């Protein structure tokens, strides 16, 4: 069988002496000389299937490398940015996330080398500006492979579960006209524009009917305390839809999108000056799909995910962000030398001080 070139995927049927084992996806990673030195095999069977694949590969002379033993940090203490991207690629669950990380294996070393050249030429301010640009794009890039958590919150009977189902494209949450149908938070796995998302559909806030419902509401609030984005949903057909101004005080404004749901049933009504107080307000119908395209577009904007991430070099981990930030504070000579050390894994005075 012809192996895929570096950065490419290949579908294959894995067989051993007993016959067919599993459908697998192969990814090849090349060394600095362009030779394939690592083959990543992804299978989707149970434990016995994985054991047969490992035994088959071992009998053919391959060495199995388990994730616990993988590292992108050589003994010298500096980061091999190319291997870092390949290691992270094993965690990607969408095609877009995988493609981004495989591109970073080329883009990161190339851009860091270019910035080092700019620093060596004496334009330290430009080098620092470029490094900080890589850092500023990091959050959106990490969400493409690590995923984001979206919390759907708001008053009872506002259509939160219907919105969750509409975004997920399936009936993952129970929907009825009865207040309090969702009594505990519900987690829904999905992806939008290649970004893995976990929707958390929470119980509507109201005076609880019993102790169990009170505990469920509190549990839901605790569960979404650190969400990446909040969708604050209210019923646009009801004037008394709940004190949204009080809701907004409890949510981070920069990560909150307010949604006037059931827009197919009512004119564009907003409560307590919501239009003026909250710029991220959309009129949506979870039932008909009205406004959903605008919502997904705004959601990507709040998450910091745009098309530029697919073609630009980014700092793909918080650790790398921290180290690039430390580099940006160095003098011109140390900055260039440290960037070269980051690329080669070599020792130099500046890198030994930093890592």
């Amino acid at each position: 069988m012809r192996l895929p070139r570096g950065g490419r995927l290949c579908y294959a049927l894995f067989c051993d002496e007993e016959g067919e084992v599993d459908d697998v996806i192969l990814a090849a990673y090349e060394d600095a000389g362009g030779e394939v030195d690592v083959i990543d095999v992804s299978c989707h069977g149970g434990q016995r299937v994985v054991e047969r694949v490992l035994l088959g590969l071992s009998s053919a002379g391959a060495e199995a490398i388990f994730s616990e033993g993988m590292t992108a940090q050589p003994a010298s203490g500096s980061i091999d940015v190319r291997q870092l991207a390949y290691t992270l690629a094993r965690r990607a669950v969408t095609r877009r996330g995988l493609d981004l990380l495989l591109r970073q294996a080329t883009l990161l070393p190339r851009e860091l080398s270019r910035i080092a050249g700019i620093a060596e030429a004496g334009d330290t301010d430009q080098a620092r500006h470029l490094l900080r640009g890589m850092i500023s794009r990091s959050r959106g890039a990490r969400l493409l492979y690590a995923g984001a958590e979206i919390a759907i919150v708001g008053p009872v009977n506002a259509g939160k579960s219907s919105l969750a189902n509409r975004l997920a494209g399936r009936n993952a949450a129970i929907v009825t006209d009865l207040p309090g149908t969702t009594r505990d938070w519900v987690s829904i796995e999905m992806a939008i524009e290649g970004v893995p998302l976990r929707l958390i559909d929470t119980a509507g806030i109201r005076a609880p009917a019993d102790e169990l419902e009170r505990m469920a509401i509190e549990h839901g609030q605790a569960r979404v305390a650190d969400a990446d984005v909040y969708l604050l949903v209210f019923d646009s057909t009801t004037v008394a839809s709940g004190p949204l101004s009080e809701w907004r005080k409890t949510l981070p404004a920069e990560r909150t999108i307010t949604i006037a749901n059931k827009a197919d049933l009512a004119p564009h009504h907003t409560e307590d000056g919501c239009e003026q107080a909250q710029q991220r307000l959309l009129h949506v119908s979870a039932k008909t799909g009205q406004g959903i395209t605008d919502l997904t577009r705004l959601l990507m904007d709040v998450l910091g995910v745009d098309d530029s991430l697919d073609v630009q070099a980014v700092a793909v981990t918080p650790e790398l962000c921290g180290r690039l930030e430390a580099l940006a504070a160095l003098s011109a000579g140390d900055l260039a030398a440290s960037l070269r050390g980051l690329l080669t894994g070599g020792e130099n005075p500046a890198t030994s001080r930093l890592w």
Side-chain angles (χ1 to χ4, degrees):
M1 181 189 75
R2 175 180 291 180
L3 292 174
R5 299 196 309 273
R8 300 274 182 164
L9 300 179
C10 179
Y11 170 81
L13 179 63
F14 192 95
C15 302
D16 62 12
E17 295 179 352
E18 300 178 23
E20 296 180 0
V21 178
D22 197 10
D23 298 321
V24 299
I25 301 295
L26 302 179
Y29 305 110
E30 299 172 350
D31 60 20
E35 297 293 329
V36 173
D37 62 344
V38 176
I39 300 293
D40 188 64
V41 181
S42 299
C43 53
H44 58 273
Q47 181 176 349
R48 175 55 182 155
V49 169
V50 175
E51 290 174 349
R52 286 181 63 184
V53 168
L54 289 174
L55 286 172
L57 290 172
S58 296
S59 64
E63 177 186 0
I65 303 174
F66 296 92
S67 59
E68 293 80 6
M70 295 176 181
T71 178
Q73 187 166 340
S76 66
S78 60
I79 296 176
D80 182 339
V81 291
R82 182 174 171 277
Q83 186 57 43
L84 172 63
Y86 281 147
T87 300
L88 292 174
R90 293 167 169 84
R91 307 178 191 173
V93 297
T94 67
R95 177 60 185 265
R96 186 181 180 187
L98 177 62
D99 286 347
L100 175 135
L101 288 166
L102 292 179
R103 288 192 192 98
Q104 291 305 313
T106 301
L107 290 175
L108 266 173
R110 181 187 299 164
E111 181 66 2
L112 289 172
S113 179
R114 185 175 79 90
I115 295 172
I118 291 173
E120 288 168 342
D123 195 347
T124 310
D125 289 341
Q126 175 65 3
R128 290 170 178 161
H129 172 74
L130 292 171
L131 285 177
R132 288 173 177 144
M134 294 175 66
I135 296 168
S136 69
R137 296 187 291 272
S138 63
R139 179 173 180 263
R142 289 201 301 275
L143 294 180
L144 273 174
Y145 70 83
E149 189 166 276
I150 312 300
I152 304 180
V153 300
V156 66
N157 214 31
K160 296 186 296 299
S161 295
S162 295
L163 180 64
N165 288 340
R166 171 64 67 174
L167 288 171
R170 62 185 189 276
N171 293 326
I174 298 174
V175 176
T176 73
D177 293 330
L178 299 174
T181 298
T182 302
R183 293 182 57 112
D184 201 352
W185 60 269
V186 177
S187 177
I188 305 172
E189 303 287 340
M190 56 172 292
I192 293 178
E193 296 188 15
V195 182
L197 298 177
R198 179 181 297 108
L199 289 182
I200 306 298
D201 178 22
T202 63
I205 304 301
R206 63 171 183 166
D210 52 41
E211 180 64 13
L212 179 61
E213 184 173 3
R214 184 192 65 77
M215 293 175 61
I217 291 173
E218 291 180 355
H219 190 196
Q221 290 176 312
R223 175 63 183 79
V224 301
D226 297 318
D228 294 287
V229 177
Y230 295 88
L231 304 183
L232 173 55
V233 184
F234 72 97
D235 184 347
S236 63
T237 68
T238 306
V239 174
S241 58
L244 292 184
S245 60
E246 293 303 315
W247 275 92
R248 287 194 297 273
K249 289 177 183 178
T250 68
L251 299 173
E254 71 281 1
R255 292 187 284 128
T256 299
I257 301 173
T258 303
I259 297 174
N261 194 24
K262 306 182 185 181
D264 57 311
L265 301 178
H268 287 181
H269 164 76
T270 58
E271 186 194 324
D272 3 73
C274 184
E275 193 84 59
Q276 291 74 32
Q278 172 56 264
Q279 295 301 313
R280 294 196 184 102
L281 179 134
L282 293 176
H283 297 273
V284 167
S285 171
K287 181 179 180 180
T288 67
Q290 174 186 338
I292 295 299
T293 299
D294 291 336
L295 173 57
T296 57
R297 187 181 300 117
L298 181 55
L299 181 59
M300 292 299 106
D301 182 59
V302 174
L303 289 172
V305 176
D306 58 46
D307 293 342
S308 68
L309 296 176
D310 299 312
V311 295
Q312 294 183 332
V314 296
V316 290
T317 66
E319 180 191 27
L320 184 55
C321 284
R323 295 189 177 190
L324 293 182
E325 190 65 53
L327 287 181
L330 296 177
S331 62
D334 280 351
L335 172 56
S338 296
L339 283 172
R340 298 295 184 194
L342 191 68
L343 290 166
T344 63
E347 292 282 4
N348 63 63
T351 56
S352 63
R353 287 200 304 270
L354 287 170
W355 41 80

